[in-house]
Amino acid sequence: MSIVVKVEEKLYQNRYIVDESRPHIQIKSEEACKSCDRQACTVCCPAACYSRNETGGVTLVTDGCLECGTCRVVCQDKGNIAWDYPRGGYGISYKFG
């Protein structure tokens, strides 16, 4: 018999070292997020780093980012995401591959 394990439980096993002085993802313009009718980043990010805020914009918290680049893909039309790999020693270390 196989045991079903939730993806959140597996993600919890990963190690993430936050680079507080230089985040690897930034929203370029809050106004562009407010004018975005889809705000796809808030539903597509597998780590839930993006959320809608009370002003109609998007809040980004890079803690726990999987560095998958999904946010860049879903925001290609507006190009409002500045994304780069974290500096050496920072970012995610996957436990399960």
Side-chain angles (χ1 to χ4, degrees):
M1 174 166 39
S2 65
I3 298 172
V4 177
V5 179
K6 293 182 179 181
V7 71
E8 291 85 5
E9 292 175 16
K10 287 187 177 185
L11 291 175
Y12 180 74
Q13 300 296 316
N14 295 330
R15 184 175 60 94
Y16 193 85
I17 300 174
V18 178
D19 188 357
E20 294 180 17
S21 64
R22 197 175 91 189
H24 70 284
I25 306 172
Q26 294 179 341
I27 295 174
K28 293 178 183 177
S29 166
E30 181 68 27
E31 292 304 315
C33 289
K34 288 180 181 179
S35 67
C36 180
D37 57 338
R38 297 180 308 172
Q39 293 183 336
C41 58
T42 61
V43 293
C44 292
C45 177
C49 293
Y50 297 86
S51 60
R52 289 189 176 110
N53 60 34
E54 60 278 350
T55 64
V58 174
T59 300
L60 169 63
V61 178
T62 60
D63 302 4
C65 174
L66 301 176
E67 300 168 23
C68 65
T70 300
C71 55
R72 291 188 303 172
V73 173
V74 300
C75 192
Q76 277 182 342
D77 297 344
K78 299 225 182 245
N80 198 32
I81 302 293
W83 193 99
D84 199 5
Y85 288 104
R87 292 188 296 167
Y90 293 96
I92 192 163
S93 292
Y94 290 102
K95 181 171 181 168
F96 294 106

